[in-house]
Amino acid sequence: MPITRRNALRAIAAGTAGVAVVAAPGAAAATTSARQRAFAAAAAEFGVPEPVLLGVSYLKSRWDSHGGAPSTGAGFGPMHLTDLRAIAAGGSHHDKGEDPRGDSARGELRPHTSDALQTVDLAARLTGVDAATLRTDPVQNIRGGAAVLAHYQRELGARADVPADWYGAVARYSGASDTGTATFFADEVFSTITAGASRTTDDGQAVALPATPVSPRREQVRALGLSTVAEGAAEAPPGLPVEWIPAPYQDLGGGNYGNYDKAERPNSQQITHIVIHDTECTYDAAIGLVQDPTYLAWHYTLRSTDGHVAQHVLTKDVGWHAGNWYFNAKSIGVEHEGFAAQGTWYTEAMYRTSAKLVKYLAGKYRIPLDREHIIGHDNVPGTTADKVAGMHWDPAPYWDWAHYFDLLGAPLNARPVRQPTGLVMVKPDFATNPTGYTGCDTSAPGAACPARGSSALFLRTEPRDDAPLLADVGLHPEGGPSTVAISDVGSRVSTGQRYAVAEVRGDWTAVWFLGQKGWLRSSGVVPVLGQVVTPRPGLSSVPVYGRAYPEAEAYPEGLTPQEVVPLQYTLPAGQKYAAGPTLTAEYYSATTFDAAQHVVVRGKTKYVQVQFGHRVGFVRLDDVVVSRTRP
């Protein structure tokens, strides 16, 4: 996401359980968890239709309690009651290290030196329960949310006994200040009510919302007196309100400018990737940063509490967000309000607006909806060996990739393969995969993170749970093994990523990863079809690159060629790696404020994107054999 001064701006640029599914008729009746009973009791006490209360909570928290921890938007508990006094604003992860542009052709980037509703107080007045209890006790939090919803309904003067008449109260509960976002939130709530949902929460509570078809009174939103956002030049699918908050393209003098580059994509270059980030700061802080001409800019920012979307850079232009110039030039950067170490507060409202936006962008630019093209910031490689250790690790293992791809309409492993193929996709059950990390609390780096669902798995040197993790010479040049720190991706695989199988022993599978065999339990992977690469016969190994740049001969006279240098990794003979897209070498030379001087350099070299470790990399097509796996 955003970034700040350069010391040098770190590139942010960071099963079905746990996934919403249509609930079978009568599913709620069979569910007797304490969380389910709390919703039923609160709905009855305050006169809120139970489907409405469940639907609102699902969009806010997916019914999770989060252990009483606040969201980035200062929300607490299943009902996301807000209390700005209880959180600190925090900074941006771009303050921590590298230049998000990731372009060695230019000098160092010179750096610059919200309101959520206070609903916890309203809930306290309505229930007589103190704010601290409302923040931390899930039962009281649900009561407080029901009381607030009922209060909004009374103020609107609408009927209380018909779910369709709660549209205005639901829209107000979103916390949005504009009609478009409030309407989108309410529409998603009533869509969830109509379709039904069920899942197991972060603390093991089974909750179900039976399908309850409702045709809400959408005209009620007019009575809320909300503003209309300035959509301006914003690019968005129909039905998704996107606010236009432009980033400044400004000449700062002395050859320095900010905070993105003009381009004419896709006419000048094809857009091949969408990069998913988190902001590591609040939405308001991120908006402040993207409007600073001495900072940097990405394309979109999404707010957690209600899913509101703002666009800052036209998708034809190149944002500074990924920390790798090749990926910047070929991608769209989408920032999500949140902190990677507290990622369970990526709200359902934000997941849904993000999925709708990304599906639209992928369709517009013909980007496949898979994990080779829709990548996390943590999957972007370093440009050169010395940049590997400083790359970002957001959105991290608490981003629910399986759920996200369900919302994109492209479920992972939608066509299951029943027989081994030599290629597997990582697909643990998010809700029941509380992989143990450390370092979520920066004040206690070695302390264990709270037990939460996770989209990632560790790889081990032997097929046993107590075996050491794999080494990563890029992150641990001293040669030691990787760690379980949440920021250490050196021995970690993530949902949707594909790896070639090296060996199977009992209920363990080994995959090729950074030149090594990495073992994980076979229950965390599924066989898939696809392409793999291996070194051409006669080559003992092939180099791996962090960018797919052209050969020197491709550069026009007067333009200094970018050096094509490999990373510190090699792909050894006898090993196979999952192949992504084949790409023709390109470099976008855009080091001046005058866009008329920008040049796209295209070479003859072709590269294959590979899933080499947790991050992707590139190998020259001439160095490898590409083959398709079969059952």
Side-chain angles (χ1 to χ4, degrees):
M1 100 139 255
I3 113 191
T4 105
R5 309 216 137 237
R6 198 211 135 110
N7 222 325
L9 299 291
R10 284 190 77 167
I12 161 181
T16 63
V19 176
V21 295
V22 174
T31 302
T32 58
S33 72
R35 186 70 38 82
Q36 187 89 51
R37 293 193 299 272
F39 280 113
E45 179 182 0
F46 294 98
V48 181
E50 188 173 348
V52 171
L53 187 61
L54 284 163
V56 169
S57 178
Y58 189 84
L59 260 289
K60 285 292 189 180
S61 70
R62 297 177 75 199
W63 304 321
D64 288 337
S65 67
H66 302 283
S71 74
T72 314
F76 291 82
M79 294 304 297
H80 199 264
L81 293 174
T82 51
D83 189 352
L84 292 171
R85 299 163 305 199
I87 66 168
S92 158
H93 63 170
H94 286 294
D95 298 332
K96 300 170 185 159
E98 112 275 74
D99 186 335
R101 297 170 305 183
D103 183 8
S104 53
R106 47 179 114 201
E108 183 174 294
L109 181 64
R110 293 194 304 231
H112 69 291
T113 50
S114 90
D115 287 342
L117 296 175
Q118 195 71 16
T119 55
V120 74
D121 290 343
L122 175 57
R125 292 196 300 272
L126 294 170
T127 63
V129 178
D130 63 271
T133 301
L134 288 165
R135 290 195 302 263
T136 57
D137 184 325
V139 173
Q140 295 303 324
N141 183 274
I142 292 169
R143 288 187 68 242
V148 170
L149 262 174
H151 174 76
Y152 293 162
Q153 185 75 350
R154 288 192 298 273
E155 288 196 330
L156 286 171
R159 293 174 58 188
D161 57 340
V162 180
D165 280 2
W166 285 75
Y167 189 91
V170 169
R172 184 175 177 186
Y173 198 97
S174 71
S177 59
D178 67 278
T179 298
T181 303
T183 297
F184 186 87
F185 178 89
D187 284 345
E188 290 299 310
V189 168
F190 280 92
S191 174
T192 302
I193 292 170
T194 295
S198 64
R199 70 182 296 267
T200 299
T201 66
D202 59 354
D203 53 354
Q205 303 281 318
V207 182
L209 168 57
T212 309
V214 178
S215 298
R217 292 183 53 196
R218 299 180 78 251
E219 71 278 5
Q220 289 181 341
V221 77
R222 293 197 294 265
L224 301 180
L226 302 176
S227 64
T228 301
V229 302
E231 296 189 4
E235 303 161 279
L240 180 64
V242 174
E243 185 175 8
W244 177 242
I245 304 178
Y249 186 66
Q250 184 174 326
D251 190 346
L252 304 174
N256 196 30
Y257 67 96
N259 53 5
Y260 62 95
D261 278 297
K262 295 287 187 179
E264 291 297 332
R265 306 184 305 176
N267 295 329
S268 57
Q269 284 187 285
Q270 184 182 0
I271 300 173
T272 56
H273 293 77
I274 296 174
V275 182
I276 303 298
H277 303 261
D278 77 52
T279 59
E280 294 298 310
C281 65
T282 65
Y283 175 85
D284 288 346
I287 296 303
L289 292 171
V290 81
Q291 293 178 290
D292 182 346
T294 68
Y295 201 62
L296 61 96
W298 48 98
H299 295 89
Y300 295 90
T301 305
L302 279 72
R303 190 164 59 205
S304 179
T305 185
D306 55 9
H308 178 73
V309 184
Q311 183 175 5
H312 318 295
V313 177
L314 294 175
T315 55
K316 73 180 185 66
D317 296 326
V318 175
W320 300 349
H321 61 95
N324 181 314
W325 183 245
Y326 177 81
F327 277 92
N328 280 343
K330 306 285 287 181
S331 73
I332 295 169
V334 182
E335 289 282 353
H336 300 77
E337 182 186 21
F339 295 89
Q342 290 92 42
T344 48
W345 262 126
Y346 296 132
T347 65
E348 181 68 7
M350 188 167 66
Y351 273 128
R352 291 195 177 203
T353 52
S354 178
K356 187 160 188 171
L357 173 66
V358 167
K359 184 175 183 178
Y360 161 78
L361 295 171
K364 181 177 180 178
Y365 294 110
R366 299 182 181 181
I367 301 171
L369 290 172
D370 58 40
R371 287 286 273 119
E372 286 75 47
H373 298 84
I374 312 299
I375 62 175
H377 192 186
D378 54 344
N379 305 133
V380 177
T383 53
T384 54
D386 61 318
K387 301 296 185 184
V388 169
M391 296 304 290
H392 278 245
W393 51 276
D394 62 294
Y398 300 138
W399 180 267
D400 191 343
W401 284 107
H403 180 57
Y404 190 59
F405 272 83
D406 285 345
L407 294 173
L408 285 170
L412 299 173
N413 199 38
R415 298 178 180 177
V417 178
R418 304 302 179 187
Q419 300 169 340
T421 64
L423 187 68
V424 293
M425 175 187 289
V426 179
K427 200 170 184 297
D429 176 48
F430 184 90
T432 59
N433 180 41
T435 306
Y437 302 102
T438 61
C440 292
D441 182 352
T442 56
S443 65
C449 295
R452 299 182 175 120
S454 168
S455 62
L457 296 167
F458 292 124
L459 295 178
R460 301 193 177 273
T461 54
E462 296 290 340
R464 63 178 199 274
D465 292 320
D466 61 347
L469 302 181
L470 302 183
D472 182 339
V473 296
L475 298 182
H476 304 282
E478 70 285 353
S482 299
T483 70
V484 297
I486 194 167
S487 59
D488 189 343
V489 300
S491 189
R492 185 186 299 168
V493 294
S494 180
T495 294
Q497 292 178 328
R498 299 180 304 148
Y499 295 90
V501 175
E503 187 179 350
V504 176
R505 287 191 214 166
D507 60 354
W508 288 80
T509 296
V511 298
W512 293 117
F513 187 96
L514 297 177
Q516 308 159 78
K517 281 185 182 179
W519 292 89
L520 74 169
R521 290 195 174 272
S522 302
S523 57
V525 297
V526 293
V528 292
L529 297 172
Q531 292 186 318
V532 295
V533 301
T534 192
R536 287 193 177 277
L539 297 178
S540 60
S541 67
V542 300
V544 178
Y545 300 88
R547 50 194 182 183
Y549 276 0
E551 63 280 4
E553 298 75 24
Y555 289 77
E557 184 177 354
L559 189 62
T560 303
Q562 289 292 294
E563 189 177 4
V564 180
V565 292
L567 302 176
Q568 53 269 76
Y569 311 109
T570 59
L571 195 161
Q575 297 186 10
K576 295 180 179 180
Y577 289 82
T582 297
L583 305 159
T584 300
E586 286 184 349
Y587 171 64
Y588 184 43
S589 176
T591 60
T592 67
F593 181 73
D594 182 5
Q597 298 184 44
H598 296 177
V599 178
V600 177
V601 181
R602 293 186 176 87
K604 296 181 180 179
T605 305
K606 290 188 179 295
Y607 292 86
V608 182
Q609 180 179 307
V610 294
Q611 189 68 60
F612 190 64
H614 182 79
R615 305 186 194 277
V616 300
F618 301 99
V619 293
R620 289 191 176 110
L621 182 60
D622 287 344
D623 289 342
V624 297
V625 175
V626 182
S627 60
R628 179 163 290 278
T629 63
R630 304 186 189 286

